[in-house]
Amino acid sequence: MDGLKGFPEAIEAVYPQTAVQLCLVHMVRHSLNYVSWKMRKVVAADLKTIYSAATADEALLRLADFEEAWGKDYPTIVKSWRSNWERIVPFFEYPPEIRRIIYTTNAIESVNMSLRKVTKSRGSFPSDDCKRVGQPTCAFGQMASVMNGSSSSHSPFFPYMKN
């Protein structure tokens, strides 16, 4: 959801019970864009006290501490965290074991990038059906037999599935 204007609102409109959470790694990276190289480690450590807090209430206290320490020098960072707070808070509803997994969307982005790389390097697919299964050389007739199970041999597209 990060960086896609209006997308969180669209998700919430369609799925009202959805909790939309921002990627904390992206929040920190965005924040550090306003910090000199010399001060990055110190500011990043203070930001970490916010997202590593045990509860949302404690995190809000840490944000207040951050604002007190850095608000004059970096008002944009404080404003960003405060304006996005409702999209940060869902993170604190999960236990620490789950938080380690969901604090970033980088794993999902990595999978998407790998898929784009594979499909882009294929050049062209003879049909949309072949593109859906990622086979650049399939013939539509072969696809149809794979999908409807009309062949008795093993499928070249799904080796563990009988046609």
Side-chain angles (χ1 to χ4, degrees):
M1 307 279 175
D2 295 330
L4 299 172
K5 299 263 186 220
F7 197 59
E9 292 81 7
I11 294 290
E12 290 169 335
V14 176
Y15 304 102
Q17 296 178 343
T18 300
V20 177
Q21 175 197 313
L22 291 179
C23 173
L24 292 172
V25 169
H26 287 130
M27 282 294 299
V28 171
R29 284 182 189 159
H30 172 74
S31 298
L32 294 178
N33 285 336
Y34 301 100
V35 180
S36 69
W37 284 103
K38 189 170 72 172
M39 299 302 296
R40 281 187 178 219
K41 282 188 178 183
V42 179
V43 173
D46 284 352
L47 287 171
K48 186 175 183 175
T49 65
I50 299 169
Y51 65 83
S52 64
T55 65
D57 291 336
E58 182 185 337
L60 197 53
L61 291 172
R62 300 294 157 252
L63 180 56
D65 293 344
F66 181 89
E67 185 172 12
E68 189 177 310
W70 299 105
K72 282 187 178 181
D73 295 329
Y74 306 111
T76 308
I77 296 173
V78 175
K79 182 181 177 193
S80 174
W81 281 76
R82 290 216 180 268
S83 65
N84 288 304
W85 193 250
E86 78 174 60
R87 304 241 192 269
I88 295 170
V89 171
F91 176 74
F92 297 102
E93 296 173 9
Y94 298 95
E97 300 80 23
I98 302 296
R99 289 184 195 180
R100 275 188 230 114
I101 298 167
I102 66 170
Y103 82 103
T104 182
T105 57
N106 287 348
I108 296 166
E109 291 170 5
S110 176
V111 169
N112 288 338
M113 183 181 67
S114 297
L115 288 172
R116 279 193 302 273
K117 187 177 178 181
V118 167
T119 58
K120 183 179 180 181
S121 68
R122 296 284 187 199
S124 65
F125 292 89
S127 72
D128 286 341
D129 292 323
C130 293
K131 189 172 186 175
R132 278 192 283 275
V133 286
Q135 298 298 322
T137 59
C138 78
F140 182 72
Q142 290 174 319
M143 268 311 291
S145 68
V146 168
M147 299 310 254
N148 69 18
S150 62
S151 171
S152 62
S153 66
H154 287 289
S155 164
F157 308 112
F158 306 103
Y160 301 107
M161 183 174 127
K162 279 199 166 205
N163 288 346

